[in-house]
Amino acid sequence: MALFSRRFGLVAALTAVLAAPAFAQAPAAAPVRGGALTIGVESDFEGFDPVRAGVYSNSTVTAASLFYETLMRLDDKGNLLPALALSMTPNEDGSVWTAKIRPNVKWHDGTPFTAQAVADHFNRLLDPANRFAGRAYLAIEKVEAPDDLTAVFKMRGPNAALPRTLAQPTVTTLIISVKAAQEKGADYNRNPVGTGPFVFKEWRAADRLVAERNPNYWDKDKPYLDRVTVRPLPDSDARYASLVKGDVQVIWEDRAENIVKAKKDKNLHVLTWVGSGALVIPLNTQREPLNDKRVRQAVSMALNRKANAAVLTQGLRPVHDDPYGPSSGIECKDNGALKYDPEAARKLVADYGKPVKLTMTVTATPRGREGAQVFQADMKKAGIDVEIKPVDQTQLVKEALTRDFQVTGWRIIDLADVDPQMFANFHSKSPINFSGYNNAEVDRLLLVGRTSLDENKRKAAYCDLIKILNDDAVWLWSGSNIDFAITRANVRGIPALRGGAVQVESAWFAK
């Protein structure tokens, strides 16, 4: 058991964890109850049935976290806290985890939340018949419920990271009412039922989602707000203008100019979270001409990643040569990154012997277009022609998951452990491996990272893995995963922006 204690900084089996969460904006006074908060996000929502939605963008996680919850939580320092589960206990090798479920929790429709609901949620995602792409994120074989307050997770092998993996809100970890989903059918995707601090009220597509305070929430002191509205505002400049005007009180932001302006505005406050993961440019290895390694390497060496990031993000998002990020704890001395070398890129294109023409699919936002234009200019210097294809974010996600693209923009989101994202994105059998990449040694190393209980072996495997990925030029790392939100100065209580999601269970307005 000492192994698990060292790894997670836990006592014994994570039982009765009582530490209080540390928020990004520590309140100077007691929280004030009441008020309505509006959040501006980047895109509309994929829906709230994970099987039908397939993936959740950070905009969707922001909305879903109002009414759905996870088994465990992480505070701002990365410490595990109880949520729907009071504790999670491993067996000797971490191949089985037992979760003790919080008693007296109810779904928003008044039915009791039990261990069977936990089992139903995860088993539904794992069922191959449901064709849920996100099951690749899960190292779980099945979940059983021997009684109402005990859920047993049987893993596909030893797994030391499960509680942390389940603590961050994602498409797989936010627990839905499967009973309600079965009763409502397709309509559930737009009418979700959860256990969270707010109750879903309405969703007007491309306009707003509204949720109201849950009077029967298990944490009796929360939430402080009466109502939360989440508004999709795809244009970042319009989103920022709405914040300055006061129409919204919180926005997710990624445009450097707006972040820099906000830092100088006494009426605004900038929240920053440096996570693991990276901003990336995936290349489809199954589509010509990118099925040829020479072309992929030419693209990699023609892209001036660090100079571009310095211009596009005004230095706010430095570039690394791997997707792990500082908070992952993984540092690779030799990552095998291909250096910026446009002359070498031109030689590879000449060696390929045919014209290289690519289409880059990006979001139809200022950020998407600017990044694509920089990519296009760099490729032109190497003799590669690039057509830019702007689409809305939901269309980009759809095309990526169906491999209907050549080059696109994406993000490896910040997670408490790198395994779910790396396995999902690069294992040959993963339905989310949308680059179509197939490498037996990479598959082997991913399994070492997923199943080894030796932290040093895991780190070594991920460093060996990144050397192969960089040489094969599968994905290009275009920026570090730093998330920003901007609030009105009187907004308090928003925690770390894990995964880019804005969570407001503990938010309140200072007088």
Side-chain angles (χ1 to χ4, degrees):
M1 298 299 291
L3 172 65
F4 296 98
S5 296
R6 285 198 305 271
R7 177 154 184 170
F8 297 119
L10 308 179
V11 285
L14 308 175
T15 306
V17 190
L18 299 175
F23 296 111
Q25 294 170 284
V32 177
R33 295 190 177 279
L37 179 79
T38 301
I39 307 170
V41 295
E42 182 184 34
S43 64
D44 204 2
F45 320 110
E46 291 87 359
F48 301 101
D49 180 344
V51 168
R52 294 180 182 275
V55 296
Y56 284 175
S57 64
N58 56 12
S59 300
T60 303
V61 174
T62 293
S65 296
L66 296 172
F67 36 82
Y68 292 154
E69 296 183 281
T70 55
L71 285 177
M72 305 293 287
R73 291 177 182 160
L74 293 167
D75 70 15
D76 286 1
K77 296 181 180 179
N79 300 309
L80 277 163
L81 302 171
L84 290 177
L86 296 175
S87 67
M88 293 190 71
T89 306
N91 68 351
E92 289 302 318
D93 68 355
S95 62
V96 178
W97 285 82
T98 300
K100 288 299 180 182
I101 304 304
R102 183 181 296 276
N104 304 317
V105 175
K106 292 187 181 298
W107 295 103
H108 295 154
D109 61 8
T111 57
F113 174 80
T114 65
Q116 188 60 54
V118 176
D120 290 344
H121 169 80
F122 286 102
N123 290 336
R124 179 174 183 257
L125 301 184
L126 293 166
D127 186 350
N130 289 326
R131 303 179 68 182
F132 172 56
R135 68 181 183 277
Y137 291 120
L138 298 169
I140 302 166
E141 183 67 34
K142 63 179 177 178
V143 183
E144 298 175 346
D147 62 59
D148 282 352
L149 297 179
T150 306
V152 179
F153 290 77
K154 296 190 174 180
M155 311 303 292
R156 294 175 186 156
N159 189 294
L162 182 66
R164 297 180 69 80
T165 300
L166 298 184
Q168 181 158 323
T170 68
V171 68
T172 57
T173 62
L174 288 164
I175 298 176
I176 78 162
S177 170
V178 173
K179 178 177 179 290
Q182 290 171 339
E183 291 172 351
K184 295 186 178 186
D187 189 52
Y188 180 88
N189 199 40
R190 299 187 60 85
N191 293 277
V193 175
T195 59
F198 297 91
V199 179
F200 173 85
K201 289 300 178 183
E202 67 168 334
W203 172 18
R204 301 179 207 164
D207 179 35
R208 69 191 58 211
L209 179 145
V210 179
E212 295 181 352
R213 186 179 189 277
N214 177 7
N216 301 310
Y217 189 47
W218 57 264
D219 188 343
K220 301 302 181 184
D221 291 334
K222 296 174 184 173
Y224 304 121
L225 298 167
D226 294 326
R227 171 183 285 232
V228 177
T229 301
V230 187
R231 295 196 58 200
L233 301 169
D235 186 292
S236 57
D237 290 336
R239 193 162 65 244
Y240 182 75
S242 294
L243 177 71
V244 172
K245 191 177 177 182
D247 293 339
V248 302
Q249 293 78 49
V250 184
I251 62 170
W252 180 87
E253 187 56 87
D254 66 349
R255 190 163 170 79
E257 291 86 345
N258 294 336
I259 296 165
V260 171
K261 282 191 294 186
K263 288 183 176 181
K264 300 175 182 177
D265 189 331
K266 62 179 174 42
N267 296 312
L268 305 177
H269 182 75
V270 178
L271 304 177
T272 304
W273 172 250
V274 181
S276 62
L279 305 183
V280 298
I281 300 174
L283 308 180
N284 189 339
T285 67
Q286 299 294 307
R287 295 275 292 269
E288 291 187 355
L290 294 170
N291 59 346
D292 191 298
K293 181 177 176 178
R294 292 171 296 181
V295 176
R296 297 197 305 273
Q297 286 187 329
V299 172
S300 178
M301 287 190 281
L303 187 64
N304 197 351
R305 297 179 298 121
K306 295 184 179 180
N308 295 344
V311 173
L312 291 171
T313 73
Q314 298 189 28
L316 293 175
R317 293 182 188 271
V319 173
H320 304 293
D321 291 326
D322 61 54
Y324 301 136
S327 70
S328 70
I330 300 172
E331 296 183 19
C332 304
K333 294 180 179 179
D334 177 16
N335 53 40
L338 300 175
K339 303 303 180 185
Y340 173 60
D341 190 342
E343 181 59 34
R346 281 192 292 270
K347 291 178 180 178
L348 285 168
V349 171
D351 188 53
Y352 177 66
K354 292 182 285 186
V356 176
K357 296 183 179 181
L358 303 173
T359 299
M360 185 177 196
T361 306
V362 296
T363 55
T365 61
R367 169 179 56 86
R369 291 188 180 94
E370 289 167 3
Q373 289 165 358
V374 168
F375 181 87
Q376 183 184 54
D378 278 352
M379 294 305 110
K380 187 175 182 180
K381 296 173 185 176
I384 298 172
D385 291 331
V386 175
E387 176 187 351
I388 299 172
K389 178 185 174 183
V391 299
D392 67 50
Q393 183 159 304
T394 53
Q395 182 64 23
L396 183 144
V397 170
K398 179 181 178 181
E399 292 184 10
L401 292 178
T402 56
R403 295 181 185 164
D404 185 19
F405 75 100
Q406 284 185 309
V407 183
T408 192
W410 202 255
R411 167 190 283 202
I412 297 180
I413 67 168
D414 161 48
L415 291 178
D417 191 273
V418 301
D419 161 61
Q421 282 283 0
M422 296 304 290
F423 196 96
N425 292 324
F426 301 112
H427 194 279
S428 62
K429 303 299 184 185
S430 166
I432 300 181
N433 174 6
F434 49 79
S435 282
Y437 184 60
N438 190 335
N439 185 302
E441 178 61 8
V442 166
D443 285 355
R444 185 190 72 81
L445 291 167
L446 287 168
L447 285 171
V448 172
R450 170 158 284 188
T451 62
S452 177
L453 299 181
D454 186 322
E455 189 64 21
N456 290 327
K457 286 184 179 179
R458 295 185 79 230
K459 290 180 178 179
Y462 286 122
C463 287
D464 289 343
L465 165 66
I466 204 61
K467 284 191 283 187
I468 299 172
L469 292 178
N470 280 338
D471 183 65
D472 277 348
V474 184
W475 286 20
L476 313 180
W477 325 117
S478 59
S480 51
N481 211 4
I482 302 177
D483 286 296
F484 300 93
I486 310 174
T487 75
R488 299 292 299 181
N490 64 333
V491 176
R492 301 286 189 273
I494 295 178
L497 305 169
R498 296 184 183 278
V502 179
Q503 296 177 274
V504 295
E505 170 201 341
S506 300
W508 55 281
F509 288 110
K511 297 296 185 183

